[in-house]
Amino acid sequence: MNCKITRNAAKVLREEVDKPENEGKFLRVFITHSHGDHAHYGMKMDDATDNDVIVETDKEIKVLLEKGVELLDGVRIDYFYVPQEGFMISNPTKGNHGDH
């Protein structure tokens, strides 16, 4: 499984990951709901379980993805400043290019 984190997203996520209260935790990307051939995603800091894959990213942020969930493989985490500041999680490898 893999996960891509853009430079903008990594900058913002690094602040959260480095907080003392998150020591030993990982960034989890999960599906909030899915329909058809795509999903909507969420993120939180969480502990790893036996049902997770820990994915190493090129931004030195480890991400938890639930094993065997096809719509999680290939997720992309981005952060935009305009038109409104915030994260966007999509999975372009599965044809999901963002929320609608």
Side-chain angles (χ1 to χ4, degrees):
M1 297 186 86
N2 67 51
C3 174
K4 171 73 176 159
I5 300 176
T6 65
R7 185 179 308 138
N8 284 347
K11 243 163 86 172
V12 177
L13 288 170
R14 175 59 49 206
E15 292 176 18
E16 187 66 26
V17 169
D18 289 344
K19 288 182 178 176
E21 64 265 32
N22 290 327
E23 186 175 341
K25 294 185 182 280
F26 301 94
L27 177 69
R28 177 181 298 281
V29 175
F30 57 94
I31 295 175
T32 58
H33 67 277
S34 63
H35 46 95
D37 60 351
H38 71 278
H40 299 261
Y41 302 94
M43 295 184 300
K44 66 180 179 180
M45 296 304 296
D46 204 1
D47 297 311
T49 70
D50 291 340
N51 202 33
D52 295 322
V53 174
I54 300 174
V55 178
E56 303 260 355
T57 67
D58 64 343
K59 300 299 188 282
E60 298 181 8
I61 296 174
K62 294 179 182 178
V63 177
L64 294 177
L65 300 175
E66 186 178 344
K67 290 178 185 174
V69 179
E70 185 179 330
L71 289 172
L72 288 174
D73 187 18
V75 292
R76 174 187 169 100
I77 304 169
D78 207 339
Y79 192 86
F80 294 99
Y81 293 95
V82 290
Q84 153 180 6
E85 194 168 330
F87 287 100
M88 186 180 89
I89 307 171
S90 61
N91 193 333
T93 67
K94 304 292 188 261
N96 175 227
H97 299 281
D99 287 340
H100 59 267

